[in-house]
Amino acid sequence: MKKIALMLLLICPLFAMSQQKEWYTSLDAAKRLALIQNKLILMVWAETTVYPEPVIISNDNGQSVVIENMFENEFISNLIWDNFIPVVVNESEHADLYNEIKGKRTQKYIDKFNDDSIKILDVNGTIINKIVIYDGFYLNMTNFVKKYALNTSILKGELTNYSRQKDFYTTLRLASKYIDFGIYVNKDVREEIIKVSSIYLNEVSALVTDAIDNKEGLLQHIELLKIKQSLILNKPRRVLRQLKRIDPSEIIETNTSLIDFLYYTSYKLLKDEKNASILKSKLSLVNLKKANQIINKNF
């Protein structure tokens, strides 16, 4: 009964997009359900639903079919619900949502926030998709879903902790987990996932205070995570250049294992077996497994 009552609370604030399927009108409710279902959120501003939004889908034979209005089509509605938590946000909420990101995001991000295109959000409301690519005059919904229908279960613990309490440590762990998440997603969305990790890393930097224990080590760890981003994007030469700029005498002991991991994985990506073999014994089984996952994804 408790589970039924919870679901009723979550699905109460809905928006009648059509007779077939209804969308949320509460972004907060959409966030809660997205966290439960390990999904991303598909968001549009309410004004964009007033006019027809034609899209293309591919049928079983690979042929393109035009749907005249995605907001009134049962198949598209079901497709979206199967892969995302859809929400229509009223323009009256724009000012409050804008104030949450004002001065904290790039101009490109702000432009994306303001425009009329579909936005894919994580459960914190952070926009993931940079642009919406159209096939001629139409959005290819089949390709869009394939790209952004991501299972976020790997992020669940960090997303939950961050949503409950935003502080230095929860934000750092979430940023780090987003970088790891980049290992498992398809290449065509990997760069966008890494950019999301950068958003959270920027938040971490803004939360640094003298009260944080091992401040020097954690600041170095943040810089190493930025280097790790290049590794996930298959840029091992850049990683090695950045690592070699670090004075060995300045390496904090707690960061040694991460540095060994970055060196080892970069050498493996470059097929430098000689240098990689020297470092292999220094890696934990967890880091060795993660290194192999990165290598297999990029070769």
Side-chain angles (χ1 to χ4, degrees), residues 3-274:
K3 289 183 178 179
I4 294 173
L6 174 61
M7 291 306 297
L8 287 174
L9 286 173
L10 286 169
I11 63 176
C12 183
L14 300 176
F15 179 85
M17 299 295 295
S18 70
Q19 295 300 312
Q20 295 84 12
K21 198 71 174 179
E22 298 176 327
W23 287 25
Y24 276 91
T25 55
S26 167
L27 181 57
D28 287 338
K31 289 177 180 180
R32 293 194 294 270
L33 187 57
L35 185 59
I36 291 170
Q37 296 192 0
N38 298 316
K39 291 180 179 178
L40 296 175
I41 298 165
L42 188 150
M43 174 224 163
V44 294
W45 294 112
E47 283 188 0
T48 66
T49 66
V50 175
Y51 306 100
E53 178 69 25
V55 296
I56 291 176
I57 60 170
S58 299
N59 61 20
D60 294 337
N61 298 320
Q63 298 172 319
S64 295
V65 178
V66 176
I67 304 297
E68 294 299 333
N69 189 359
M70 64 172 280
F71 301 122
E72 296 180 354
N73 183 272
E74 181 179 6
F75 177 83
I76 296 296
S77 180
N78 290 334
L79 178 65
I80 290 172
W81 269 105
D82 284 344
N83 295 282
F84 307 99
I85 304 302
V87 60
V88 177
V89 178
N90 196 287
E91 274 71 14
S92 63
E93 298 182 48
H94 180 276
D96 289 339
L97 292 172
Y98 174 74
N99 286 334
E100 291 178 10
I101 61 174
K102 184 179 179 181
K104 302 175 183 177
R105 300 289 187 267
T106 65
Q107 187 57 50
K108 284 186 178 180
Y109 186 101
I110 298 297
D111 290 342
K112 177 65 181 176
F113 169 81
N114 286 326
D115 70 27
D116 292 334
S117 67
I118 294 172
K119 300 167 214 324
I120 299 297
L121 318 176
D122 72 3
V123 301
N124 299 315
T126 302
I127 300 173
I128 290 176
N129 62 317
K130 294 186 298 184
I131 57 174
V132 176
I133 300 175
Y134 287 83
D135 187 349
F137 295 102
Y138 306 106
L139 168 66
N140 189 317
M141 183 57 71
T142 302
N143 292 341
F144 188 84
V145 170
K146 285 181 180 178
K147 182 173 182 178
Y148 293 109
L150 306 178
N151 184 320
T152 60
S153 57
I154 189 176
L155 299 165
K156 190 161 192 170
E158 287 73 19
L159 287 169
T160 300
N161 292 335
Y162 178 90
S163 65
R164 289 174 178 169
Q165 181 177 345
K166 298 179 185 179
D167 59 27
F168 177 88
Y169 297 102
T170 59
T171 308
L172 178 61
R173 292 187 189 106
L174 180 56
S176 179
K177 185 61 76 169
Y178 255 110
I179 296 173
D180 286 343
F181 189 40
I183 300 171
Y184 306 102
V185 300
N186 292 328
K187 286 184 179 181
D188 59 350
V189 74
R190 190 170 296 158
E191 183 179 346
E192 289 166 282
I193 294 299
I194 294 302
K195 284 187 179 297
V196 174
S197 74
S198 290
I199 290 173
Y200 290 114
L201 279 179
N202 288 338
E203 287 189 15
V204 172
S205 298
L207 292 168
V208 174
T209 66
D210 291 333
I212 293 174
D213 293 335
N214 188 28
K215 178 181 174 182
E216 185 179 353
L218 287 169
L219 287 173
Q220 186 177 76
H221 186 74
I222 292 170
E223 294 308 309
L224 291 171
L225 287 178
K226 293 177 181 178
I227 295 175
K228 186 178 178 182
Q229 290 175 322
S230 296
L231 185 69
I232 305 303
L233 295 175
N234 196 22
K235 298 177 180 178
R237 296 186 189 280
R238 176 186 293 180
V239 172
L240 292 176
R241 286 197 303 271
Q242 292 173 318
L243 287 174
K244 289 173 181 177
R245 292 181 188 139
I246 301 174
D247 187 335
S249 65
E250 296 179 355
I251 295 174
I252 308 299
E253 185 177 355
T254 54
N255 292 321
T256 302
S257 61
L258 177 53
I259 290 176
D260 290 340
F261 167 81
L262 294 172
Y263 267 116
Y264 172 80
T265 313
S266 296
Y267 285 134
K268 289 291 287 186
L269 287 171
L270 293 169
K271 300 184 180 181
D272 184 346
E273 297 298 336
K274 180 179 179 180

